[in-house]
Amino acid sequence: MKTICLYFEIHQIIHLKRYRFFDIGTDHYYYDDYENERSITDIAERSYMPALTAIQEMIRENGNYFKVAFSLSGTGIEQLEMHAPQVLEKLQQLNETGCVEFLAEPYSHGLSSLANEECFAADVNKQAKKIEEYFGKKPTVLRNSSLIYSDDIGAQAAALGFKGMLTEGAKHVLGWKSPHYVYNCAMAPNLKLLLRDVELSDDISLRFNNSDWDGYPLFADAYISRIAALPQEEQVINIFMELLALGIAQPLSSNILEFLKALPACAKEKGITFSTPSEIMDKMKSVDTLNVPDTLSWVDEERDVSCWLGNPMQREAFNKLYSVADRVRIANDPRINQDWDYLQASNNFRFMTTKPSNVGLDRGIYSSPFDAFTNYMNILGDFINRVNALYPVDIDNEELESLLTTIKNQGDEIEMKDKEIVRLQAKVEKMQDAENALKEKLEKPKEEKKAPAKKAAPKKAAPKKEAPKAEAPKAEEPKK
């Protein structure tokens, strides 16, 4: 039986402000708050809320039959918390239905998987913890930024404890193989892979409202019929896209939500089900190993990472940023960590691309790739100065980590001793109380003995009866 795995990604670009060379060292705040609030509010109103409401209706009408998966970047969650909390509330309502799965991804929506394993692990674990806080369950499936994947990255994901990953069903990787099966990582066979069906996904997210497209207009019954017509043994159809495709890339006026809401009924008629990524990975076995020696993604025709690292400016910025990755991780300063998350975001490098693209690229405040590079490098220069100012620059990373580890261990030891002191003080107080109670108990009988015994009141002796006095013999009267 065929099953559809429908997945949506939610991420929000953090817009940087215009930052001049002379701001370095004097201004440590890098963000355009007005644009950040305006953009997330607009997207929430035009896309997120209508789309999530439609999905909620689909679950209500179809019960456990319809299922869907989401992933949210940590930086995206932060923007929603500040400017559109109603989106998070709606996602929590969806979570309560039991028909939704939330996946892990890098907190920053960055490229750490291409640069630093420890940084990548920290990035993913931070987001997984955030997801667990919001939705009550730790993710077991990973989705890397823009579906970036390689054999090495798969091995890293397996080492982090994930049972599966989502990635792109790129033709140059699959060759003659179909994306409609479960595969496994070449370097970690226990890690299962679900591959995005490029054509079926892009028909909705990129081409739905394109009147010049041969498939226009696209109807739900025709779409499902194409899926049903696939060979019987091809059972897994993975349709992955950004949530803002529903309302932004494809405006609501195109009836994109009506199309989406019609899918379950059409699929049910054809005997096609819906499943979450975890359900598929639990029920289905891998049919083969997928070898991906070179990194792939879901971006551009090449499906690689050239849109972020394809020119010298991008590579210079990328290498400069991750040159302090270990130092940032070791220092673990809260304000530095927040800026680190925002500066890692992949869109910062995407703005610098010189590649032509079929998908329109909004460069925001930048007039050109060089303008984006200059602004970012100015900010990065200030950021790196702040990182280096935390501890002397002449201390290398290994020495610094050793020093901070020693300090941390000493701190932990002091904390343990403080806890032990508190415990012993409580124990002493308890023993003192017991001793005082025992003393009181022992002193009571002594006090009773020392106290003078009350004498019984002497009984009054009955008055003694006096013995009758003997009468003196009367003198005889003289005889006459």
Side-chain angles (χ1 to χ4, degrees), residues 207-359:
R207 294 183 282 270
F208 184 83
N209 194 43
N210 183 2
S211 58
D212 294 330
W213 172 45
D214 292 340
Y216 180 87
L218 180 63
F219 295 103
D221 55 352
Y223 187 80
I224 292 296
S225 295
R226 286 167 55 194
I227 294 174
L230 293 169
Q232 184 177 357
E233 61 273 13
E234 297 186 12
Q235 297 185 0
V236 183
I237 293 82
N238 302 306
I239 301 172
F240 305 159
M241 68 191 79
E242 293 178 297
L243 185 61
L244 56 75
L246 310 179
I248 302 297
Q250 308 304 322
L252 298 181
S253 60
S254 68
N255 293 324
I256 184 70
L257 295 185
E258 285 68 24
F259 167 85
L260 184 71
K261 288 190 281 188
L263 290 178
C266 296
K268 191 176 289 187
E269 288 181 2
K270 298 289 185 180
I272 300 171
T273 64
F274 288 83
S275 302
T276 63
S278 285
E279 288 177 339
I280 294 173
M281 291 173 182
D282 289 340
K283 293 177 183 177
M284 297 187 180
K285 294 182 179 179
S286 166
V287 298
D288 197 5
T289 295
L290 189 71
N291 293 292
V292 189
D294 299 318
T295 311
L296 61 86
S297 76
W298 71 357
V299 178
D300 291 345
E301 290 296 323
E302 294 83 1
R303 310 292 175 184
D304 58 13
V305 297
S306 58
C307 67
W308 303 290
L309 301 175
N311 65 48
M313 292 185 298
Q314 291 170 311
R315 292 190 291 274
E316 169 68 18
F318 178 83
N319 293 333
K320 192 76 172 177
L321 174 67
Y322 285 100
S323 69
V324 294
D326 290 329
R327 204 167 185 86
V328 169
R329 177 182 54 80
I330 294 166
N332 196 27
D333 179 83
R335 179 61 192 279
I336 290 291
N337 288 345
Q338 185 180 50
D339 291 336
W340 173 248
D341 290 334
Y342 294 164
L343 293 178
Q344 281 190 88
S346 61
N347 57 274
N348 292 313
F349 303 96
R350 176 81 162 150
F351 289 144
M352 304 175 200
T353 186
T354 52
K355 283 181 59 180
S357 175
N358 293 332
V359 181

Side-chain angles (χ1 to χ4, degrees), residues 89-154:
E89 291 172 8
K90 182 66 72 174
L91 287 167
Q92 288 174 324
Q93 292 172 15
L94 289 172
N95 181 55
E96 291 170 2
T97 66
C99 297
V100 176
E101 180 179 4
F102 290 92
L103 312 184
E105 70 165 72
Y107 191 95
S108 65
H109 197 271
L111 307 174
S112 55
S113 59
L114 304 176
N116 187 297
E117 286 190 21
E118 291 181 331
C119 180
F120 177 62
D123 213 7
V124 170
N125 288 332
K126 184 177 179 180
Q127 187 268 359
K129 184 178 179 181
K130 190 85 168 177
I131 291 293
E132 188 174 12
E133 289 173 0
Y134 265 99
F135 306 110
K137 187 176 180 182
K138 187 175 181 180
T140 57
V141 177
L142 174 64
R143 179 260 187 205
N144 198 6
S145 309
S146 301
L147 296 189
I148 292 173
Y149 177 80
S150 69
D151 293 336
D152 288 335
I153 294 171

